[in-house]
């Protein structure tokens, strides 16, 4: 054992006589056993991430002493190789929680080339648990002055051991369930124990599984375009291959009939087959961007969720009449419809998410049947328990169940990857696809500069070779900067707010992004300013007019601001594809299939100059315009295949496809014009069965 490890384990800093795991420093209380940080000035509490809490424990227990980076890494990640900046990220999160500054520290001081020191005096407190007062009229209590002081040294190893076990517990599926939910489950609800088993084992991709409620039938998609029908053990029965991608098979609740989708160009076709994969019915092609699983309402009717240009819509489809009727959903204009479900009393219910990211399940009459205080995107009905099984509010998409009376119970936690869909039969067996992958941003040597299981990157490289991008690997949308072979996290955000774009300013000193409806400016260290875009919905197009002014569009209005966040102009201008050439001071606009140049949006019809008429596959689901070295790039999707296009503005007849394949999340153009792709790789997906176990007698 090295000297520093011995010092940590045998610290003899004396503070009192009683054993406890609650610390007081300045106006903060840290409840080590709960990972809670209490602010006695504001009467507020923060739940720390386990590793952040463990870092605070290490710093507190060595107050006034330098702890090297090497030792912190050993204690925080024993027997684990981590990224070089992992410790820096934890420290940044902790400083943000403490409202501390690295440059003028009150709590955590950086000792150059040595390590870190925790500055304030620390006391151990021993008081009965109680919440802070509910009103500001109650005077805060000086807790430290009223409490006996105790010895800190006897607690160090115990606390570190606790934290290590807690971190390991988080990564173990079954233990997650007990900690997260047992405390909130009433005594009269027995939480079932679930076990998982593999249904498919082969290398490759099997996903979008559906289990028949009554019969011994499974159906799922293999390698994107193959429909496979098996029994519930995975034993092969029938296979059918299609020439384009298919998705979301759903069994009829009683009959041996299967509804599923096929992507075809810019449209989707609904098929109904029997249990031998023979087609019984096909709809006419329906315009679509994306789709969700169909829901059987009756033998002749299905509720379809279709994602269109304007958002998610619900339709009633009548098979015999081939009739499509839009369903008027009980939601506000700024709320999002997610999908439908057949649940209690064989009725159809609709999932709605509001602007605060809360979710509710409603009937067509608007009556609310269930609510969640987080976004629900994965959900299905368990007929045996009469509950809704869904994702939870974690970054790992663990499964929970919820009853109509509001009681919740744990089901299963992912050890890696994520569950991508759910199907539940009458026995309560849950069938799901467990997917794992890696997304890489690759450099000029085809080596990854960043890899993650996240699927949102938006990489943008400037002429200095610096890449700014967004990733969800922390569970939130965070902004990172890759510069001089080092990775730096620029944002530290809590919540579900989305980031949909990034852009460097003309002089490469600032970065423009968004947080839902807010616009955010960064430098190479931190946020400079954040302000309301004043759009009615989240902006989807953006950019720089010059070094001091920016613009944003929600596809209906274009707003311009100065860098202080002051609104300068508001122009009504509808466009799904819009960008600004700051060098030539021209707008580039797509109307219909024609790409135009114009010096003005307010007088667009007067100034517009046609560039080129684009083919249909170049404008369907068009997004992510990039203007680099006088060449315009963008993405589109055709038959659920991603395409990246390139158009030289000087010779607009030279339109070319530069990449076409599935699973391209985003792309980047390097200073020398090379294409860099953020692509899902090493994809694996297998069908799993999660079975409730009877309690032992």
């Amino acid at each position: 054992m090295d000297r520093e490890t011995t010092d940590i384990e045998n610290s003899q800093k004396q503070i009192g006589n009683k054993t406890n795991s609650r610390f007081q420093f300045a106006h903060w209380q840290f409840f080590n056993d709960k990972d809670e940080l209490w602010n006695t000035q504001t009467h507020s509490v923060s739940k720390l991430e386990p590793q952040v809490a463990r870092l605070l424990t290490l710093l507190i227990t060595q107050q006034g002493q330098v702890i090297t980076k090497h030792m912190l890494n050993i204690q925080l990640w024993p027997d684990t190789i981590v990224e070089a900046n992992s410790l820096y990220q934890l420290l940044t999160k902790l400083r943000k929680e403490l409202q501390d500054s690295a440059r003028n520290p009150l709590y955590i001081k950086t000792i150059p080339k040595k390590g870190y020191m925790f500055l304030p005096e620390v006391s151990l407190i021993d008081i009965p648990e109680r919440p802070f007062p509910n009103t500001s009229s109650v005077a805060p209590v000086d807790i430290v002055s009223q409490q006996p002081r105790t010895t800190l040294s006897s607690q160090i190893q115990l606390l570190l051991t606790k934290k290590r076990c807690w971190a390991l517990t988080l990564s173990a599926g079954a233990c997650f369930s007990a900690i997260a939910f047992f405390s909130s489950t009433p005594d009269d609800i027995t939480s079932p124990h679930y076990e998982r088993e593999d249904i498919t084992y082969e290398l490759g991709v099997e996903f979008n599984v559906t289990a028949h409620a009554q019969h011994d039938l499974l159906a799922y998609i293999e390698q994107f375009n193959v429909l496979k029908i098996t029994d519930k053990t995975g034993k092969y029965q029938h296979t059918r291959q299609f020439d384009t991608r298919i998705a979301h098979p759903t069994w009829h609740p009683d009959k041996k009939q299967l509804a599923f989708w096929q992507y075809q160009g810019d449209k989707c076709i609904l098929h109904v087959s029997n249990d031998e994969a023979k087609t019984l019915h096909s709809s006419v092609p329906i315009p679509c961007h994306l789709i969700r699983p169909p829901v059987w309402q009756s033998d002749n009717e299905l509720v379809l969720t279709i994602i269109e240009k304007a958002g998610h819509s619900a339709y009633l489809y009548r098979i015999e009449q081939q009739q499509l009727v839009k369903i008027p959903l009980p939601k506000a204009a700024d709320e999002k419809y997610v999908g439908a479900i057949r649940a209690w009393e064989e009725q159809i219910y609709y999932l709605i998410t509001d602007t605060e990211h809360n979710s509710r399940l409603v009937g067509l009459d608007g009556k609310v049947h269930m609510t969640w205080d987080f976004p629900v995107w994965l959900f299905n009905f368990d007929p045996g328990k009469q509950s809704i099984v869904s994702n939870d509010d974690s970054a790992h998409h663990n499964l929970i169940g919820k009853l109509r009376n509001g009681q919740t119970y744990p089901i299963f936690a992912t050890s890696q990857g994520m569950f991508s869909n759910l199907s539940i039969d009458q026995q309560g067996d849950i069938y799901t696809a467990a997917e794992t992958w890696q997304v890489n941003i690759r450099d000029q040597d085809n080596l990854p500069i960043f890899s993650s299981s996240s699927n949102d990157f938006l990489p943008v490289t400037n002429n200095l070779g610096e890449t700014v991008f967004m990733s969800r690997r922390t569970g939130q949308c965070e902004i990172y900067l890759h510069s001089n072979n080092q990775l730096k996290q620029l944002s530290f955000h809590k919540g579900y707010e989305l980031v949909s774009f990034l852009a460097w300013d003309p002089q490469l000193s600032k970065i423009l992004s968004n947080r839902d409806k807010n616009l955010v400016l960064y430098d190479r260290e931190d946020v400079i300013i954040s302000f309301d875009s004043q759009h009615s919905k989240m902006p989807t197009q953006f950019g720089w007019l010059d070094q001091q002014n920016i613009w944003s569009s929600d596809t209906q209005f274009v707003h311009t601001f100065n860098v202080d966040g002051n609104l300068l102009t508001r122009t009504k201008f509808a466009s799904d594809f819009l960008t600004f050439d700051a060098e030539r001071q021209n707008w580039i606009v797509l109307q219909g299939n024609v790409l135009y140049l114009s010096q003005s949006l307010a007088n667009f019809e007067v100034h517009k100059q046609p560039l080129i008429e684009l083919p249909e596959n170049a404008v369907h689901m068009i997004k992510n315009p990039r203007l680099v070295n006088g060449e315009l790039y963008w993405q589109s999707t055709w038959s659920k295949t991603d395409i990246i296009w390139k158009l030289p503005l000087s010779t607009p007849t030279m339109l070319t496809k530069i990449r076409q394949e599935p699973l391209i999340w985003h792309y980047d153009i390097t200073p020398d014009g090379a294409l860099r792709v953020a692509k899902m790789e090493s994809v694996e997906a297998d069908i799993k069965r999660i079975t409730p176990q009877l309690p032992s007698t």
Side-chain angles (χ1 to χ4, degrees):
M1 182 180 296
D2 61 43
R3 173 64 181 271
E4 190 173 2
T5 304
T6 304
D7 289 343
I8 289 180
E9 294 178 348
N10 299 295
S11 171
Q12 295 299 312
K13 193 168 182 62
Q14 297 296 317
I15 302 183
N17 299 317
K18 296 185 70 176
T19 300
N20 209 317
S21 56
R22 302 176 187 180
F23 302 91
Q24 175 84 35
F25 57 93
H27 60 277
W28 299 96
Q29 293 180 24
F30 174 45
F31 287 47
N32 178 281
D33 53 337
K34 297 181 178 180
D35 293 348
E36 290 180 352
L37 184 65
W38 295 64
N39 187 328
T40 61
Q41 289 182 341
T42 63
H43 301 177
S44 60
V45 60
S46 295
K47 184 75 171 181
L48 301 182
E49 295 178 17
Q51 283 293 76
V52 175
R54 181 166 165 77
L55 173 60
L56 181 54
T57 301
L58 289 165
L59 292 169
I60 283 176
T61 55
Q62 291 294 295
Q63 185 274 335
Q65 302 180 38
V66 178
I67 311 180
T68 66
K69 296 179 182 179
H70 173 70
M71 183 47 56
L72 286 172
N73 280 323
I74 289 176
Q75 293 291 330
L76 290 165
W77 296 282
D79 305 316
T80 303
I81 298 174
V82 296
E83 295 178 5
N85 69 328
S86 297
L87 176 58
Y88 172 79
Q89 293 179 29
L90 285 186
L91 281 162
T92 305
K93 289 181 180 181
L94 180 54
R95 281 174 169 144
K96 189 174 182 69
E97 293 285 355
L98 293 171
Q99 302 161 28
D100 199 15
S101 168
R103 295 173 182 173
N104 300 292
L106 295 175
Y107 305 106
I108 304 170
K109 182 177 181 180
T110 300
I111 310 299
K113 299 183 180 180
K114 291 184 179 180
Y116 303 93
M117 179 187 295
F118 195 73
L119 298 176
E121 289 292 326
V122 179
S123 300
L124 278 169
I125 59 177
D126 184 15
I127 60 173
E129 287 189 34
R130 60 172 179 81
F132 281 109
N134 292 326
T135 64
S136 58
S137 61
V138 181
V141 179
D142 185 358
I143 296 175
V144 177
S145 63
Q146 298 181 19
Q147 303 309 319
R149 299 176 179 267
T150 185
T151 303
L152 184 62
S153 58
S154 61
Q155 289 300 298
I156 294 173
Q157 190 57 42
L158 175 61
L159 293 176
L160 298 183
T161 302
K162 280 184 180 179
K163 287 298 160 190
R164 187 174 300 173
C165 291
W166 174 235
L168 292 174
T169 300
L170 282 179
S171 65
C175 294
F176 147 80
S177 304
I179 293 171
F181 300 101
F182 283 175
S183 61
S184 62
T185 303
D187 293 339
D188 58 347
I189 297 296
T190 301
S191 181
H193 171 69
Y194 286 83
E195 291 187 358
R196 187 177 70 175
E197 61 178 313
D198 292 327
I199 299 298
T200 62
Y201 305 87
E202 297 84 359
L203 292 176
V205 180
E206 296 93 21
F207 63 106
N208 280 182
V209 62
T210 178
H212 202 295
Q214 308 289 344
H215 302 287
D216 187 18
L217 289 169
L218 281 183
Y220 58 88
I221 308 302
E222 183 180 71
Q223 303 298 350
F224 305 112
N225 66 336
V226 176
L227 175 66
K228 298 202 74 170
I229 297 177
T230 71
D231 65 16
K232 290 182 178 177
T233 67
K235 183 179 179 181
Y236 165 78
Q237 291 185 358
H238 300 282
T239 296
R240 183 177 174 189
Q241 184 169 337
F242 293 79
D243 57 355
T244 57
R245 288 185 66 168
I246 56 175
H248 301 303
T250 304
W251 287 109
H252 187 286
D254 304 309
K255 295 183 176 181
K256 295 182 180 181
Q257 292 183 0
L258 188 70
F260 60 95
W261 288 101
Q262 180 183 9
Y263 288 101
Q264 192 171 87
D266 58 349
K267 297 178 175 62
C268 298
I269 298 173
L270 180 72
H271 297 291
V272 177
S273 76
N274 62 14
D275 59 337
E276 296 179 350
K278 295 180 179 178
T279 300
L280 304 176
H281 171 82
S282 295
S283 73
V284 298
I286 302 170
C288 73
H289 282 186
L290 298 167
I291 37 79
R292 287 187 63 90
V295 178
W296 289 88
Q297 179 165 282
S298 66
D299 291 351
N300 184 51
E301 296 176 329
L302 295 103
V303 173
L304 308 182
T305 299
I306 301 174
I307 303 172
E308 304 163 305
K309 183 184 296 185
H312 294 58
S313 298
Y315 291 89
L316 180 68
Y317 180 73
R318 294 189 173 95
I319 297 174
E320 293 179 3
Q321 297 83 3
Q322 293 211 36
Q323 184 182 29
L324 196 65
V325 181
K326 191 168 186 177
I327 299 173
L329 295 174
K331 72 178 189 69
D334 57 355
E335 293 182 323
K336 178 183 177 181
Y337 164 60
V338 179
I341 188 174
R342 181 185 175 109
W344 306 283
E345 294 82 43
E346 307 301 322
Q347 298 299 304
I348 305 298
Y349 302 86
Y350 305 89
L351 185 68
I352 309 294
T353 300
D354 65 22
T355 56
E356 300 300 318
H357 307 285
N358 302 305
S359 300
R360 67 183 187 274
L361 198 65
V362 301
L364 197 55
D365 58 1
K367 180 181 178 181
V368 178
H369 294 264
M370 190 169 288
T371 62
W372 298 262
D373 59 358
F374 54 87
V376 171
W377 60 274
L378 182 66
F379 60 103
N380 214 319
F381 180 64
D382 185 337
K385 298 178 182 60
Q386 293 289 293
S387 63
I388 300 295
V389 176
S390 76
N391 61 281
D392 68 352
D393 63 345
S394 75
H396 305 289
H397 307 301
N398 308 303
L399 299 182
I400 60 172
K402 189 167 188 175
L403 304 171
R404 294 185 82 172
N405 62 9
Q407 298 172 1
T408 61
Y409 59 93
I411 294 178
F412 213 83
T414 53
S415 57
Q416 61 177 346
M418 61 183 291
F419 299 122
S420 60
N421 79 300
L422 296 173
S423 183
I424 310 171
D425 64 15
Q426 290 286 356
Q427 288 70 45
D429 289 351
I430 301 171
Y431 294 82
T432 182
E435 297 186 17
T436 61
W437 65 83
Q438 182 168 294
V439 176
N440 292 323
I441 300 178
R442 295 186 173 273
D443 64 13
Q444 65 272 14
D445 299 317
N446 203 35
L447 298 174
I449 64 171
F450 188 81
S451 298
S452 173
S453 59
S454 168
N455 60 4
D456 298 277
F457 275 86
L458 303 169
V460 182
T461 300
N462 64 24
N463 285 333
L464 297 176
E466 299 172 307
T467 300
V468 62
F469 60 93
M470 185 274 287
S471 173
R472 292 176 184 265
R473 68 172 183 163
T474 64
Q476 316 297 339
C477 296
E478 305 290 12
I479 306 302
Y480 295 83
L481 173 66
H482 183 263
S483 177
N484 297 321
N485 295 317
Q486 294 184 340
L487 191 63
K488 180 185 295 183
Q489 187 172 341
L490 300 184
S491 69
F492 304 88
H493 190 70
K494 289 185 176 180
Y496 302 103
E497 284 80 0
L498 299 177
V499 173
S500 60
F501 57 76
L502 291 164
W504 287 95
D505 75 324
Q507 294 184 9
L508 312 182
S509 61
K510 292 185 287 291
I511 302 156
L512 173 64
S513 180
N514 77 305
R515 285 278 180 195
D516 274 1
K517 289 164 58 175
N518 280 355
L519 296 177
V520 187
L521 289 180
Y522 300 86
D523 58 18
R524 287 174 173 79
E525 293 294 331
D526 206 342
V527 173
I528 302 172
I529 188 174
S530 175
F531 55 91
D532 188 351
S533 69
Q534 302 187 44
H535 290 293
S536 61
K537 57 183 179 180
M538 189 170 75
T540 56
Q541 302 168 101
F542 66 99
W544 293 85
L545 295 171
D546 52 43
Q547 186 64 23
Q548 298 299 319
N549 299 284
I550 60 180
W551 66 274
S552 65
S553 168
D554 62 359
T555 72
Q556 297 300 316
F557 287 88
V558 177
H559 295 176
T560 64
F561 302 85
N562 61 25
V563 292
D564 294 323
N566 299 313
L567 180 65
L568 303 178
T569 65
R570 185 173 188 266
T571 305
K572 183 173 177 58
F573 190 84
S575 176
D576 295 310
F577 186 82
L578 180 69
T579 192
F580 185 73
D581 186 345
E583 182 179 349
R584 298 167 182 81
Q585 293 291 294
N586 276 324
W587 293 96
I588 302 174
V589 180
L590 180 69
Q591 286 196 338
N593 283 29
V594 180
L595 207 60
Y596 294 94
L597 287 180
S598 178
Q599 295 178 348
S600 169
L601 295 182
N603 298 297
F604 177 74
E605 293 299 326
V606 175
H607 295 283
K608 68 179 183 182
Q609 303 172 28
L611 277 177
I612 184 176
E613 183 173 355
L614 299 174
E616 290 290 337
N617 60 345
V619 300
H620 181 57
M621 296 181 66
I622 190 169
K623 63 179 181 179
N624 203 12
R626 302 288 178 87
L627 191 58
V628 181
N629 301 328
E631 296 178 319
L632 181 66
Y633 300 81
W634 69 89
Q635 283 180 263
S636 69
T637 300
W638 194 254
S639 294
K640 204 62 168 59
T641 297
D642 303 305
I643 308 171
I644 301 175
W645 300 84
K646 172 181 167 182
L647 178 70
L649 295 182
S650 59
T651 53
T653 57
M654 302 287 291
L655 175 68
T656 56
K657 293 181 188 178
I658 57 175
R659 185 70 67 89
Q660 178 175 343
E661 58 184 296
L663 306 179
I664 296 176
W665 294 115
H666 302 102
Y667 70 95
D668 188 17
I669 305 298
T670 62
D672 61 359
L675 175 67
R676 181 183 287 170
V677 170
K679 185 181 181 300
M680 179 187 283
E681 300 176 333
S682 305
V683 183
E684 290 292 335
D686 295 301
I687 308 303
K688 312 287 185 183
R689 177 166 56 204
I690 302 174
T691 307
Q693 303 298 303
L694 295 175
S696 57
T697 57

